[in-house]
Amino acid sequence: MKRISPLAATLLLAVMAGACGGDRSASLTSPQAAAYDARPGHSPLPRVVHRAPGAPRFGTDSASFDAVAGRPGVVVIGFADGTPLAAFVAGPDALRGATLGGRPVRNGEKVRITMRRVDGDRFAVAMEPSGLVFNPAAQPRITFSYRWADPPPYHETLRVWSQDAGEPWRALEGADDSWLRTVSAPVPGFTQFAVGY
């Protein structure tokens, strides 16, 4: 069994508590899958944060779990020192009433959920499968740790952003915990996510 750092454990507990509480403040249309597009001028916002000089290398590029209605689930990717980069936490009701590609997710159906890094040193991930839209009353959460991020200018606030295929970036309503150095937001469905300002 792989051990995780105390910081990672603390982050996971905080994220899981948030997932059970359910922040329903974000409202987005059903997102589609998106590939990270770093072309200059294509997506002027946000300024996605990068891994800081001297930070540990990324330890994992992707991770998955099989989600089933009625069971909670967690997927985390992180740094080589055990610090998480991003954690996705789904409560037991996230798949109740969810749809996949427009059809209802059946009771007992397994949905393979994958988080993967999508660009070199940037704090950006893509979530799959595309077309998965969660129960709006029990949306999962995505949380980024910015402990190893190159800090933004002092007057800027970090937020979680999402980008649907071919659409501009959008800031999600969420929370910044400066003590844990995390920023999080509810996830209506799967697309690309990043932490930036």
Side-chain angles (χ1 to χ4, degrees), residues 14-178:
V15 171
M16 291 174 76
C20 294
D23 180 347
R24 299 176 186 88
S25 56
S27 176
L28 297 177
T29 57
S30 301
Q32 303 298 316
Y36 188 78
D37 191 337
R39 290 176 296 175
H42 180 69
S43 299
L45 290 175
R47 292 184 178 97
V48 178
V49 297
H50 290 72
R51 189 167 58 96
R57 62 180 176 78
F58 290 116
T60 49
D61 290 327
S62 67
S64 303
F65 76 96
D66 288 324
V68 179
R71 290 199 319 230
V74 178
V75 64
V76 181
I77 59 175
F79 295 85
D81 72 342
T83 304
L85 165 65
F88 170 83
V89 178
D93 295 327
L95 286 181
R96 297 190 195 280
T99 59
L100 179 57
R103 68 160 180 84
V105 174
R106 299 181 303 274
N107 283 339
E109 179 180 357
K110 288 183 180 178
V111 178
R112 186 74 167 172
I113 290 179
T114 300
M115 174 190 288
R116 62 182 173 82
R117 287 194 313 108
V118 292
D119 182 58
D121 284 340
R122 292 190 174 144
F123 281 44
V125 299
M127 298 292 301
E128 299 168 351
S130 65
L132 179 59
V133 179
F134 294 101
N135 174 358
Q139 292 176 346
R141 290 189 77 81
I142 190 165
T143 299
F144 286 89
S145 168
Y146 54 84
R147 175 183 179 191
W148 292 118
D150 212 359
Y154 74 93
H155 60 282
E156 300 287 358
T157 301
L158 291 177
R159 300 178 73 176
V160 177
W161 295 69
S162 71
Q163 184 187 42
D164 299 342
E167 297 294 325
W169 285 97
R170 286 192 272 191
L172 300 179
E173 293 296 327
D176 180 2
D177 187 323
S178 58

